[in-house]
Amino acid sequence: MQTVWQQRLSQQHKHRPNDNRSPWQVDRSRIIHAAAFRRLQAKTQIMGIGVNDFYRTRLTHSLEVSQIGSGLLRHLKIKNPEFAHFPSTSLIETLCLAHDIGHPPFGHGGETALNYLMRDHGGFEGNAQTLRIVSKLEPYSKGFGMNLTRRTLLGFVKYPAIIDTLWFNKPTHDSKQRFIKANDWLPAKGVYRCDKDVFDWIILPFSEQDQVLLQQHQVIDQYRCKTQFKSLDCAIMELADDIAYAVHDLEDAIATDTLTYSDWTLYAQPKLASLSSPWIDENLDNISERLFSRDEALRKDAIGELVNLFIVNSALSVQHQDFESPLLKYSVTLDEEFSDILDILKIFVFERLIREPKMQQIEFSGQNLLIDLFRALASDPMRLLPYTTQEQYQLAQSEQMQMRILADYLCGMTDEHARRTHKRLFASE
């Protein structure tokens, strides 16, 4: 018998004789075979696409997140055999595989550019776009995207509130200035108002109290609020993503000499050594030596050890006692000692790799390329957009939805597709 969490937005009548897959396995299949998923192979993770074949892309990153997510789930089930509300492995793999399909070309530079361009039309944010793709845009069904189960869609909602309620005191930009200041246009993280119908359907099974509590948020700076809670499934996926970011992206940077042993000893090792951590006291020198060894097998062994360390020190925890549904009451957390280690690794990757000036120059280039494309397409959409997108644009009932269609189109581009389109529109040769 179908449960409320196995329901889909649209009733299905598929001819699949003897199909013995679970609903979650069906969802995973739809993700794997989706065009939006395949495009991840040509979207930037941190290093630029095409510079070196070794670099991880959004696709290889997502595969690694999926592997870590299934490892976390396996560990949690062993530690909590009496807990009956864990997701299936197929469901966690689905969430991890697709968690980044809403990210535009050129990483966070592209996200910032589209948020600036959509500032008066509901904003732009990668996680909100992921929900939009899987529930509306992917052409598996007419108007319902991949038509995934309700519980799967719940797992994609990392920030369960409408962006309009989270973004206030929006900055202004002097139109005489050609370039924007990226930090002013970092997106508020939530769900688009135009997708509120999907969000409302997802959370409908929860009690009114749970729905209200789930959408609570707090101010984080002069422009934005941030939500405080998410579902158990989403928390497992997010922790897997954090581990992959902190460990595997670090591996990329070390293997390509983008981050050196000198960087490590100056910026990461002292912070790790200052922790009150028995594991660090015993293992820091050895793990540091192996991470930066020229013997690739030793480096791989150190990377695997770090991933395992975070997996086996995760635990089921209570997110907030007032939630009634187990899907919201419980979450996954790391023991404080290992959470501190993970945070230092994440900060090291962010400050010494992502914020490195050459990396920021590449991000800046992509950011401005997308701004150029958006403005060109918006100036004469019925001339420049592909026929299928022209049709959607014509059917849009408001300027806000027309701009959303432009953002959807640009977000769906790979890095190289965006560069080729820009070259056609702007190159003088």
Side-chain angles (χ1 to χ4, degrees), residues 72-82 86-89:
L72 283 168
L73 179 61
R74 186 167 55 249
H75 168 74
L76 293 170
K77 284 182 173 180
I78 291 171
K79 290 295 185 181
N80 304 274
E82 75 294 340
F86 283 121
S88 72
T89 299

Side-chain angles (χ1 to χ4, degrees), residues 349-367:
V349 170
F350 178 77
E351 291 183 347
R352 306 308 304 175
L353 179 61
I354 294 175
R355 297 300 297 176
E356 195 274 329
K358 288 182 181 177
M359 289 290 182
Q360 284 301 299
Q361 289 169 11
I362 294 170
E363 190 173 290
F364 179 84
S365 171
Q367 168 188 304

Side-chain angles (χ1 to χ4, degrees), residues 164-318:
D164 295 0
T165 66
L166 304 172
W167 200 14
F168 60 94
N169 293 340
K170 294 179 187 177
T172 57
H173 175 66
D174 185 350
S175 59
K176 297 177 183 177
Q177 297 291 324
R178 169 136 204 267
F179 304 114
I180 64 171
K181 185 176 181 181
N183 281 348
D184 285 349
W185 298 102
L186 298 175
K189 296 179 181 294
V191 175
Y192 300 140
R193 183 162 295 279
C194 60
D195 298 326
K196 186 177 183 297
D197 55 336
V198 174
F199 178 63
D200 289 344
W201 180 83
I202 293 170
I203 66 174
L204 186 62
F206 294 130
S207 68
E208 184 176 347
Q209 173 184 307
D210 276 6
Q211 291 185 33
V212 171
L213 183 56
L214 179 62
Q215 296 176 71
Q216 281 192 0
H217 48 267
Q218 59 189 11
V219 175
I220 57 170
D221 61 27
Q222 61 179 321
Y223 302 125
R224 290 166 290 266
C225 297
K226 186 176 181 179
T227 56
Q228 297 173 266
F229 307 113
K230 54 181 64 70
S231 69
L232 169 63
D233 304 351
C234 187
I236 296 172
M237 175 266 284
E238 186 173 44
L239 178 56
D241 189 23
D242 283 349
I243 293 170
Y245 168 79
V247 180
H248 288 304
D249 290 345
L250 174 63
E251 180 187 9
D252 259 9
I254 293 171
T256 56
D257 294 322
T258 309
L259 287 177
T260 66
Y261 186 65
S262 176
D263 294 321
W264 177 260
T265 57
L266 283 173
Y267 300 105
Q269 198 165 356
K271 291 182 180 179
L272 290 168
S274 69
L275 294 176
S276 177
S277 165
W279 188 89
I280 286 292
D281 292 344
E282 184 175 342
N283 295 282
L284 181 57
D285 289 342
N286 181 264
I287 205 85
S288 299
E289 182 178 334
R290 283 183 290 147
L291 278 176
F292 289 88
S293 172
R294 287 299 170 186
D295 184 335
E296 188 174 352
L298 288 177
R299 186 172 66 244
K300 283 287 185 185
D301 184 59
I303 292 296
E305 184 175 331
L306 286 172
V307 171
N308 179 74
L309 178 74
F310 296 125
I311 288 176
V312 300
N313 286 287
S314 64
L316 188 68
S317 60
V318 174

Side-chain angles (χ1 to χ4, degrees), residues 27-33 36-38 40 58-67 89-102 130 156 237:
D27 284 357
R28 182 179 59 190
S29 297
R30 292 182 183 180
I31 292 294
I32 289 172
H33 293 286
F37 179 68
R38 291 195 298 275
L40 294 177
R58 288 276 177 190
L59 180 64
T60 57
H61 164 76
S62 298
L63 293 171
E64 288 170 337
V65 174
S66 178
Q67 185 265 334
T89 299
S90 298
L91 174 51
I92 281 300
E93 288 178 347
T94 299
L95 297 178
C96 293
L97 287 170
H99 77 283
D100 266 355
I101 65 172
T130 293
F156 284 123
M237 175 266 284

Side-chain angles (χ1 to χ4, degrees), residues 292-390:
F292 289 88
S293 172
R294 287 299 170 186
D295 184 335
E296 188 174 352
L298 288 177
R299 186 172 66 244
K300 283 287 185 185
D301 184 59
I303 292 296
E305 184 175 331
L306 286 172
V307 171
N308 179 74
L309 178 74
F310 296 125
I311 288 176
V312 300
N313 286 287
S314 64
L316 188 68
S317 60
V318 174
Q319 175 171 232
H320 196 293
Q321 195 63 49
D322 290 345
F323 279 119
E324 298 172 6
S325 170
L327 296 183
L328 301 180
K329 176 176 285 189
Y330 295 95
S331 186
V332 59
T333 53
L334 281 177
D335 290 348
E336 184 177 0
E337 175 187 357
F338 301 98
S339 178
D340 290 343
I341 295 171
L342 184 64
D343 285 344
I344 288 173
L345 293 180
K346 285 167 59 180
I347 291 169
F348 179 59
V349 170
F350 178 77
E351 291 183 347
R352 306 308 304 175
L353 179 61
I354 294 175
R355 297 300 297 176
E356 195 274 329
K358 288 182 181 177
M359 289 290 182
Q360 284 301 299
Q361 289 169 11
I362 294 170
E363 190 173 290
F364 179 84
S365 171
Q367 168 188 304
N368 290 294
L369 186 151
L370 277 189
I371 291 174
D372 285 346
L373 284 180
F374 189 99
R375 287 173 171 165
L377 296 174
S379 72
D380 201 347
M382 302 312 294
R383 177 188 179 195
L384 301 176
L385 288 172
Y387 288 127
T388 53
T389 312
Q390 285 184 28

